[in-house]
Amino acid sequence: MSKLALKVTAVETLSPLVKRFRFESPTGAPLPVFSGGAHITVEMPEGEIVRRNSYSLISDPYDGSGYEIAVRREDRGRGGSRHMHTKVREGDEITVSAPANHFQLDLRARKHVLIAGGIGITPFLSQLKQLGMEQKPFELHYAARSREEAAGLKLLPGAAHIHIHISDEGARMDLGAILDGQPLGTHVYTCGPDGLITAVADQAARLGWPKTSVHSEAFTAPPPGEPFEVVVKSSGKTVTVKADQSLLEALEAAKVEIDYSCRGGACGRCETHVTACDGRILHNDHWLSEAERAEQKTIMPCMSRFKGARLELDL
Amino acid sequence: MTMQFNEESFRGDYTFRNSPAAIRRFPFPFDRDEYMYSVNIEQHPGGPEGSPFEFAFDVDEHYVAEMKDREITLAEDPMRCQSLPHMELAGWDLLELIMVSKARDYPELFKLSRDGNAWHWINKPLGIDKKFTFLDPTTLPCGPLEYITRQAQGDFALLHEREGNLWLDAGMVTSQADWSLDFDVGMNFFEWHAPVPKARKMGVFDKALKFLLAVTQEKSYRRLNWTMTVNPRLDTSPENYHKWGPEKRTITPENVGAKQFLRVELQTFWRLPRSNALAFPIRCYLCNLEDIATQPKWGRRLHRVLRDIDPDLAEYKGFAVNQKVILDYLSQFDDGAETSPGIFPD
Ligand code: FES
């Protein structure tokens, strides 16, 4: 994965829980442009551990002058977003990955319907810009509990096809009404809590939408948990995963080579075979099927944890 | 360095030839004395100075002639360049990638000036001087994919990623080793690879697909593939099999050295930034047995590789009918001496 050494050039509070960050090249060289829905992985070194979280890019995909992300502070997380909120200041140096995209627009669609819940608005902010440039018909629905929490409001342009649903104001999102009657060839994209993603998928299925027109991204940072140990098969080495560290981060810290992209259990890149398992894998990813989870033969180290006597990984 | 471009043809009188320098930089594909189908992948660009791996898009003495040959093929069959509507953005991505790379790597041949979306492109070898607006197709004489690939050697496939697979949804294909864009367009990765013997069973494609899906922007890769062709013909398409197929039968012990070519594909893989599509350029290099044997290491090795190859692969690579004549010819260069590791000549 190629890395970019950037500088933090702006930090802005969008809501009590959400901050916007802007990164630019210290030399002023243009950054690689990207596609709507892409993310970058941000490195957050703290003491001897390096946390890495992936965040959707919210800036104009074709503007190489800087990258912007919006980070929601998760106080019960393992510290990545807290680090961004409390430690990262304007002028700091910051290392990020080149953009990658697991939530791209399907440009074959005749129309795009984007449905965001809460901080799930972020990937759509760059997609909106791409759709605008491509002059593709779309509508966006953004649901949030309260206006105060709806950090995305500050980042959304006011436009007729952008609909805001604030549940505290009694304006709940009606998925049936949104999806029913869309023209043939419409694609729907959902980003937000699992419940919303499932609700949209169910609604689309009821209306007979083809599965290939229904897209979603459930992007969550890895949860903390109890510490545990894993054994690396090739070297026999035991790696300890701390409470506020993901298995992937612990393996990286132990210099075990492992592939990743989303770091959020969505892309499948980090999938690892389990060669011995005496205990229970706590699957937190969105990648493995129910059957695969039950088998306990594979694990997604970016998200999942373990409880038990012994877990050996084919690495 | 000023590059000399050959006047040569890839059909009819077949005046194609390699200069001694071109022979030495030929991407000989065998790094050992035997061949197995494998996914031999390296990072690209990067390689010895002067090698075809040094730059993103290699430009060599055959550039102008290859572009003329493409023009002839396209005039006969415009369907060799196709792009499904959703791939236009990927076409612009590819145009940008090639123009930026060539202007950077060959400043004496190509020049690109950009002021926002107002671009000015100069291609000296082909005598092109064009001002256009990036992302505005009305300012080019044809689509962006066709425009740029009429100025870049090799075939180009643009792959769209969806449903965890890759779909061949656009391409420029005039120098293919026996595959057809018209037939394959819209197919996914497994469908268009279906004819390769054994590979499917070995799980090679599952691994290859996984690898391709993992290619990110700013980090590109390459691999070499090879086959054999009688006569230096670029257009060995299934559509034109009636033209080139019978030529296989013209091989004799007297002419095999000059007429039998090793055909090497330098395949590269790029993740395109705006479209998130994958670009899969397939650059073709040709070298006849006579010229290969001027490098003693290659003469020895090629003899061993073609002698010990799996018969199914010999069939698939299209030289089974001439294998005996080829081996008889090559055996004179194989004194049994050891060969050094790696693909480069000694
Ligand atoms: S890195 Fe994407 S699923 Fe683990």
Side-chain angles (χ1 to χ4, degrees), chain A residues 248 259-271 287 300 302:
Chain A
L248 178 60
D259 197 15
Y260 70 84
S261 177
C262 72
R263 303 181 80 91
C267 73
R269 201 63 52 72
C270 66
E271 184 170 336
W287 178 257
M300 311 305 289
C302 65

Side-chain angles (χ1 to χ4, degrees), chain A residues 120-196:
Chain A
I121 187 69
T122 53
F124 296 130
L125 294 169
S126 63
Q127 289 187 343
L128 280 184
K129 298 197 170 103
Q130 186 173 4
L131 288 168
M133 277 177 293
E134 297 263 319
Q135 302 184 329
K136 290 274 165 47
F138 72 90
E139 59 187 64
L140 173 109
H141 297 268
Y142 173 35
R145 208 163 309 142
S146 67
R147 225 157 253 281
E148 193 183 33
E149 268 188 29
L153 287 180
K154 289 212 178 102
L155 302 168
L156 282 170
H161 39 277
I162 293 185
H163 309 271
I164 316 291
H165 308 264
I166 305 285
S167 50
D168 276 4
E169 296 172 6
R172 283 189 67 94
M173 189 152 66
D174 178 352
L175 293 177
I178 292 171
L179 294 184
D180 203 7
Q182 292 290 356
L184 210 65
T186 301
H187 283 233
V188 62
Y189 309 78
T190 314
C191 185
D194 284 347
L196 179 65

Side-chain angles (χ1 to χ4, degrees), chain B residues 254-267:
Chain B
E254 292 69 41
N255 67 19
V256 64
K259 270 173 96 82
Q260 180 67 61
F261 284 76
L262 177 59
R263 180 188 192 102
V264 174
E265 290 176 354
L266 169 57
Q267 308 177 341

Side-chain angles (χ1 to χ4, degrees), chain B residues 254-309:
Chain B
E254 292 69 41
N255 67 19
V256 64
K259 270 173 96 82
Q260 180 67 61
F261 284 76
L262 177 59
R263 180 188 192 102
V264 174
E265 290 176 354
L266 169 57
Q267 308 177 341
T268 54
F269 311 97
W270 310 77
R271 177 70 72 173
L272 300 174
R274 291 175 175 78
S275 58
N276 203 38
L278 276 172
F280 178 30
I282 308 157
R283 171 68 187 277
C284 170
Y285 295 84
L286 294 163
C287 193
N288 63 18
L289 301 184
E290 220 164 70
D291 286 346
I292 286 174
T294 60
Q295 310 301 315
K297 168 179 169 179
W298 291 353
R300 290 185 187 109
R301 181 167 289 170
L302 189 61
H303 175 246
R304 295 169 199 177
V305 168
L306 298 184
R307 181 190 61 202
D308 303 336
I309 197 165

